[in-house]
Amino acid sequence: MSSPTSSSSSSSWPISIRSLFISVLIPVILGTLLYQLDSFDPASYPTHVLSTDPPIVVPKRNNHMLHGSEKIGVDQLLSPEDVAYDPNSGVIYTGCVDGWVKKVTVNISAADSRVEDWVFTGGRPLGLALGRHGEVIVADADKGLLLNVTSEGEVKVLTEEAEGLKFKLADAVDVAKDGMIYFSDASYKYKFEEFMYDFLEGRPYGRLLSYDPSTKQTKTLLGDLYFANGVAVSPDQNSVIFCETPLSKCKKYYVKGERKGSVDIFIENLPGFPDNIRYDGEGHYWIALASEKTYTWNLALRYPFIRKIMAIIVKYVGQPRAEKNGGVLSVDLQGKPVEHYYDGDVTMMSSATKIGDHLYCGSIKSPYMLRLNLKQNPAVQTS
């Protein structure tokens, strides 16, 4: 005759096994099937584009940039991705997720700043730059267009393709002193809202391009780029700096001189994922960093199966909220790091423009523009 203890113990086994099967084995089986059946096919990033070095050391930093910062246009500027400043009028232009390019007139008090709906593109205006005659050049990602907006608000399409290949994610733009427009198509496969799949697939769908207003000719200067992002013409006009976001690096492409057509690494091993880059007229570029570069992403760069798992999670569950320590990095003309402003609660920062003593920062997530007084909140020497 069995004892009560042994009877209870033996009857608990089926429950334990069933619980294990339901909580562990079924998800594993379903996950394995999903992995096998899903068509997403990430590639291996070539070893020559990856770096195994740790992030660069920045001499000065402010790791609490939200302390002392101000919010401009709260709930009026929805995801203001890029920031372009007109020194003649004192107006700041920015493109928002609602399809409007906005005019922002900033006062001493951020709360008193004025936001005006200026031009509706009907798409997603990302990169903006001032032209030579007061016009604003706009890269519209959703429309896949490079636009010219006159000072009166008249919109004209400049170009929508290069060498027969249409833009899918027109991204960043800058204008040289001779009027030449340099811009990026971050991905000719994925749309703006699908940008994470571009990172995870690991294939170079990005391009650096130029548009000549005098000839109306669009050229592909560089292809096979990994999510070509921010674009900035150098002060000597001989080169263009651009970013490759998933690789955490920026490159220099020579547009004039003896080295015309060649490419150098401008800065790599950035402490985060670069978005737009702006020259401040004072010897420094300001690179917006959407988020810090994590150990998980370093592993994902090297192992395609990890990126496939991440893509399945994004597709069926949603994108994990893992971003943190976004901010801004300033570098000199040689690409050497100078100052790093960041904060654990800053995510998806997309641009940074220095105007006087202030840094004006855009974001693809926040419903406002961030302003930081650099004199009152300086980066300090690190030990």
Coordinates of all heavy atoms in Angstrom, one line a residue, residues 51-52 83 182 246 252 360:
S51 N 34.8 46.9 -36.8 CA 35.9 47.2 -35.9 C 35.7 46.5 -34.6 O 34.6 46.4 -34.1 CB 36.0 48.7 -35.7 OG 37.0 49.0 -34.7
T52 N 36.8 45.9 -34.1 CA 36.7 45.2 -32.8 C 37.2 46.1 -31.7 O 37.2 45.6 -30.5 CB 37.5 43.9 -32.9 OG1 38.9 44.2 -33.2 CG2 37.0 42.9 -33.9
V83 N 17.5 69.9 -38.0 CA 17.5 71.4 -37.6 C 18.3 72.2 -38.5 O 19.5 71.9 -38.7 CB 17.9 71.6 -36.2 CG1 17.9 73.0 -35.8 CG2 17.1 70.7 -35.2
Y182 N 24.6 67.9 -51.9 CA 25.0 66.6 -51.5 C 24.0 66.0 -50.6 O 23.6 66.6 -49.6 CB 26.4 66.6 -50.9 CG 27.5 67.1 -51.8 CD1 27.9 68.5 -51.8 CD2 28.1 66.3 -52.8 CE1 28.8 68.9 -52.7 CE2 29.0 66.8 -53.7 CZ 29.4 68.1 -53.6 OH 30.4 68.6 -54.5
P246 N 24.8 52.0 -38.8 CA 25.0 50.7 -38.0 C 26.4 50.4 -37.7 O 26.7 49.6 -36.8 CB 24.3 49.6 -38.9 CG 24.3 50.2 -40.3 CD 24.2 51.7 -40.1
K252 N 34.9 60.3 -45.1 CA 35.2 61.5 -45.8 C 35.3 61.2 -47.3 O 36.2 60.4 -47.7 CB 36.4 62.2 -45.3 CG 36.8 63.5 -46.1 CD 38.1 64.0 -45.7 CE 38.1 64.7 -44.3 NZ 39.4 65.4 -44.1
Y360 N 21.0 73.1 -30.4 CA 19.6 72.8 -30.7 C 19.5 71.3 -31.3 O 20.2 71.1 -32.3 CB 19.0 73.8 -31.7 CG 18.8 75.1 -31.1 CD1 19.8 76.0 -31.1 CD2 17.6 75.5 -30.6 CE1 19.7 77.3 -30.5 CE2 17.4 76.8 -30.1 CZ 18.4 77.7 -30.0 OH 18.3 78.9 -29.5

